[in-house]
Amino acid sequence: MENRRYLAVDYGDRRVGIAVSDPTGMIARPLETLKVSSPAEAISGLIELIREYEPAAIVLGRPLSMSGRESELSQKVDEFARALRAAVDIEIIYEDERLSSTQAEQILHAHGKKIKGNKDKIDRMAAAIFLQTFLDRKFGV
């Protein structure tokens, strides 16, 4: 059976939110948040996760402006994607991540959790949100 597991990456300079799908590629779940001080450190952490989960592809969140245009942050993500492509032989797919962090905050708030001090949780939940959007669209759910 074809591997349909996907790993989602919500890249940031200090934190990288990670989510993973189930092996069927139907359900996303938050996995962890890597604390990093450089893109190289982020890539090193991702290589370990790629070895562990053996995903079919990486779904990389692309932070566009609300109008859909490139932003300064989306350029940083592009640079990170180039470095990641040089380090691993796996497909990297961009996914629009606009509002995923806001949705993650709303979910935490709805469950009575504090938003302040929960940035790690928000980052990995945001990755799960845009991964689920990708999976739903890809597999026609």
Side-chain angles (χ1 to χ4, degrees):
M1 184 174 145
E2 175 188 351
N3 178 14
R4 292 169 57 170
R5 184 183 301 270
Y6 292 85
L7 199 64
V9 177
D10 184 12
Y11 177 74
D13 289 332
R14 288 187 230 128
R15 290 180 317 276
V16 180
I18 307 292
V20 66
S21 75
D22 68 315
T24 68
M26 298 296 287
I27 301 168
R29 69 175 172 87
L31 185 61
E32 66 180 273
T33 301
L34 304 175
K35 297 213 174 160
V36 299
S37 58
S38 69
E41 192 175 353
I43 289 169
S44 177
L46 281 171
I47 287 171
E48 289 180 33
L49 293 170
I50 290 167
R51 284 187 188 129
E52 181 177 349
Y53 289 95
E54 300 178 342
I58 300 287
V59 179
L60 181 60
R62 193 122 196 282
L64 301 173
S65 70
M66 289 309 292
S67 67
R69 296 189 186 280
E70 298 284 323
S71 67
E72 186 177 320
L73 196 50
S74 62
Q75 291 172 3
K76 277 187 177 185
V77 169
D78 288 345
E79 290 170 18
F80 176 73
R82 283 191 289 278
L84 184 58
R85 278 188 182 102
V88 297
D89 184 25
I90 189 168
E91 182 180 13
I92 298 173
I93 303 165
Y94 281 125
E95 180 66 25
D96 184 356
E97 69 166 39
R98 282 180 285 183
L99 300 177
S100 62
S101 293
T102 302
Q103 289 174 307
E105 289 174 2
Q106 290 171 344
I107 291 167
L108 282 175
H109 183 72
H111 287 91
K113 305 286 184 193
K114 292 181 181 176
I115 293 168
K116 190 171 184 151
N118 264 329
K119 290 193 180 276
D120 291 354
K121 191 176 281 189
I122 291 167
D123 290 338
R124 63 181 170 258
M125 285 181 70
I129 289 167
F130 70 74
L131 177 56
Q132 190 65 56
T133 300
F134 166 81
L135 296 172
D136 290 350
R137 187 178 60 253
K138 181 167 181 65
F139 298 110
V141 174

